[in-house]
Amino acid sequence: PSGLAVLCTFKFGSIEMGLEAKICSACNVKGLGLRGDDLQLVPEQSLLQLKSWDLQIAKSLMSLVSIAVGINDSQRAEIEALYLHGFDYLGKYIAKKIVQANHI
């Protein structure tokens, strides 16, 4: 949820920005991070327990941005977990997402 919150802040601005949010968030930001269909790539031992802060962020995102945030089994994955497939795997993963325009 934290990574998605950062993406939304860049894309839409923040509440603290007030009316300036529309001016400052005019760039076309894309998110290349892990999505639900990518979780099969993450080794189970790399999954982390969701903390109460993660759940709070997910609830906030669902109410503010009207997006679906998947909370499965109270666990989360970080993109760095893909390094377990080899040091160059993460770079190849991101390059493939860019080429296929597989982003948020």
Side-chain angles (χ1 to χ4, degrees):
S2 296
L4 191 53
V6 170
L7 173 65
C8 288
T9 300
F10 279 107
K11 192 163 183 93
F12 305 113
S14 68
I15 292 172
E16 288 83 16
M17 293 174 71
L19 297 175
E20 294 176 359
K22 290 187 180 191
I23 297 167
C24 297
S25 62
C27 58
N28 190 10
V29 176
K30 305 291 185 198
L32 295 170
L34 291 172
R35 296 193 348 221
D37 56 337
D38 296 322
L39 291 179
Q40 75 228 8
L41 303 172
V42 178
E44 192 165 330
Q45 70 267 23
S46 297
L47 295 174
L48 304 167
Q49 287 299 119
L50 284 175
K51 298 181 177 166
S52 61
W53 177 250
D54 295 315
L55 294 171
Q56 187 177 14
I57 291 171
K59 287 178 186 176
S60 175
L61 286 171
M62 287 188 290
S63 66
L64 294 175
V65 188
S66 299
I67 56 175
V69 178
I71 305 290
N72 296 333
D73 300 325
S74 298
Q75 295 179 319
R76 63 184 172 96
E78 294 184 354
I79 197 167
E80 292 85 2
L82 297 180
Y83 278 128
L84 288 176
H85 296 290
F87 187 69
D88 61 340
Y89 187 85
L90 182 57
K92 290 178 183 177
Y93 165 87
I94 291 175
K96 182 179 174 184
K97 289 266 189 181
I98 292 169
V99 168
Q100 294 177 344
N102 187 4
H103 44 68
I104 299 175

